[in-house]
Amino acid sequence: MAHINIDGEQNVEVSKPIPSEKTPEEQLEIMEEYTRVHKESAGLDKAIREINCLKVIFPRLFRSLEPGDLIAGRLDFLPIGFGSVTSIGGVGHYCVFHKLRAFKSLLDTEDQKKRVDVLYDYWQDHDVKSIYCQDVLTPDTTGRFIDCQYPFMATARLSGMMLDYQKLMRLGIDGILEELKSHRQNAFIQACQEAMMLFKEVIDKQIELVNKAKQKAAPEELQDLDLMESDLAWLKDHKPETFHQALQLFWLYALCAGCINYGRLDIVLGPYLKKDMDEGRLSEEHALRYIASLWKMIENRRTTVNGRIIVGGKGRSDVEACDLFCRLCLKVCKKTRYVEPQFTLRFDHTTPDDILDMAYECIASGATYPTLYNDDVNVPAVQYAMRVPENVAEQYVPFGCGEYVIQGKSVGTPNTLLNMLKLLQIAMNEGFDPMDGVYKAGPVYCQPLSKLHTFEDLMKQYEAVQDYYFDLSIYAQKHSYEIMNQEVSFLFTSILMDDCIAREKALLDGGVAILGGTNETYGNINASDALYAIKKLVYDQKKYSLEELNQAALANFKGYETLQKELISQDKYGNDKKECDELANRCYEYVAKGIRQRGIEAGLGYYLIVISNNQTNTDWGHQTDASLDGRNRGVYMNPANNPQGGAAKSGPTAVLNSLVHFDAKYHGGSVQNIKFTPRMMHEDKEKVKALFRTYFENGGCQLMVTVVDHGQLEDAQKHPEKYPDLIVRVAGYSAVFVNLTKDIQDELLSRTLYD
């Protein structure tokens, strides 16, 4: 048994998964077979072991088509298997222990349940994340995602992989096989060939499932199923020639690779769409049906924070074809109003006005999509941050909660997370976390507050604690790749990533062109607002001592209510207050530059902070003591790059002016959320468009908009049955409001609604 048990929640899971189509006994048999093959392959090369295990689950885990499906490809996930991310299983050879335990309740006999216990015990020592956790987790400083009593969390996952699907379209399956055969036949290349042959078996399985669907189909569905069958048969041995074939090939490959973000589909699918429509093979009506079917497939995967489809922006060779696909996607997005895909529009000063107008109307309708990314800011920022040429930077894509990667070229998964507010509290309490009284400053000596005679003394102490955690971060990030690479090759992913085949190496074994990473930061604005209040009340006005302020926070402001009001009344980030915003920017740049420099020194292509949140700002807030911005113990922290709920009191222009203070070239993604009423979005449409335009011209890199009526969210809390489809922007992802826990709902309610 492993000495650290990682049983428990491993990811944000808001959407309710669709249950497996397999019977519990069949699921158990598959998991046992996977485990047996994994055990028997222990002495083999990791790539051969991986393909042996993949042959157990593919194509067996593919499930039946559902009425109305226009492309094939529905996939079950079990508590044991192979994957890249925790949203649909786990990383590499995985076991999701709490789900495996829950699975026992589906079984009828004690013998079956004992068989599950045998699996549980085996995977304690062989689950990739469990192996990683034995090396990096500590009793005080480092917890796993999501152990929020720690200042720092570390995990192992391969999030946000955006593959080179253009290569798949250009070569087809046989073309990739020919490329593989032209290389030295080491274990990795051989396993890749077997993976592509397995992919052909997956296609055969889809043909079988289509024929099964035909037996129960209504007459009007048969034409679609016939096309699906003939296109699947074509794709086994030919490159795609039509939009439907390209769509089908892309989707099946993404499923096999375990990718839950899809990248710049306009450059992949747009040329096929335009050719079909130009030559009369495809009407706009049918194209919209196909895109809507893809939307439904992505929604049904229920990955919550993922499912990114990106359109628009710089670096597209066939702009006309890409924009055609973009326009149709916007129509589908407005109509479907799903939580996923996380639909994203990149734009610049050359983007056609009608596309921007369609995007605005989609957002105004309450869809929360598209999220908006400003290429005039982001492309040069990525060029600097990732140290890549402009033509490579133009292929950046955001995923998950806003992190950037380069499509087909980089790994940039966020396997480290820092609580900047908790680090400040540790620095102010001689290395102890006031929430639980545990010492968490490592070798850093934190002087008593009485010794911090100037504001710069305080900042230096805070920065020393940060430096220690930056060092922990880079070790944990690099080691996550080392452990994953030790265990698996990520064959399907490696095949469509530069330069794995050319180098004849797996993704994390020196194969990928750019190996980078991102470190998620939380509580950054709470920390800077607290520091601003300290500077004003202690060092500038000399109204209180630092010890007095800290004592008030330690008491959760009980008996210090007047002081708490004074803290709350200090200038806050989000109100366009120069001195306050400049201090927030100083804190941001210290973290961003410190993390980036450590990445460079450690040999990563890039290692950048991402200013994000999913619901971690709330979960971590529950385990973070009262803070000197006036926030009480256990209350949610600020969301991403936005002010703390209730702190922005000067209108939308002021909050957007504060947001642009952070120079995008130092981060790897930053989330900006804002809420408007439908009245404002419709009746003041031109004013809001001008507001957005000015924000982006002033350096705004990104914007995510929720549109709700006054009182609507409050009413939805009381009467959830009335609002089954009310979508809100949490941060880097959207969710159905009533599916969120009350504490997450409360944090969303705290954000200013502009009317």
Side-chain angles (χ1 to χ4, degrees), residues 156 195 414 570 610 698 754:
Q570 298 302 306
V610 54
N698 286 343
Y754 296 108

Side-chain angles (χ1 to χ4, degrees), residues 185-198:
Q185 296 300 293
N186 61 14
F188 168 67
I189 294 295
Q190 290 172 2
C192 286
Q193 291 180 61
E194 290 190 54
M196 294 309 295
M197 294 306 297
L198 181 60

Side-chain angles (χ1 to χ4, degrees), residues 534-604:
I534 292 169
K535 183 177 184 298
K536 288 284 123 181
L537 295 176
V538 175
Y539 295 106
D540 291 353
Q541 300 173 14
K542 305 189 185 303
K543 192 169 184 179
Y544 301 97
S545 69
L546 192 52
E547 294 95 324
E548 286 177 301
L549 292 191
N550 195 49
Q551 189 57 46
L554 293 175
N556 198 25
F557 301 113
K558 289 182 180 178
Y560 297 89
E561 288 78 8
T562 300
L563 174 54
Q564 184 180 25
K565 288 180 181 178
E566 204 164 353
L567 291 168
I568 292 171
S569 70
Q570 298 302 306
D571 286 346
K572 295 285 191 290
Y573 173 87
N575 295 280
D576 198 15
K577 300 292 186 178
K578 182 180 179 182
E579 188 179 355
C580 184
D581 290 351
E582 285 179 349
L583 180 55
N585 185 63
R586 173 184 172 177
C587 294
Y588 152 70
E589 290 202 3
Y590 189 84
V591 181
K593 292 176 181 178
I595 291 292
R596 182 176 183 269
Q597 186 58 37
R598 281 165 176 78
I600 293 171
E601 291 170 356
L604 290 179

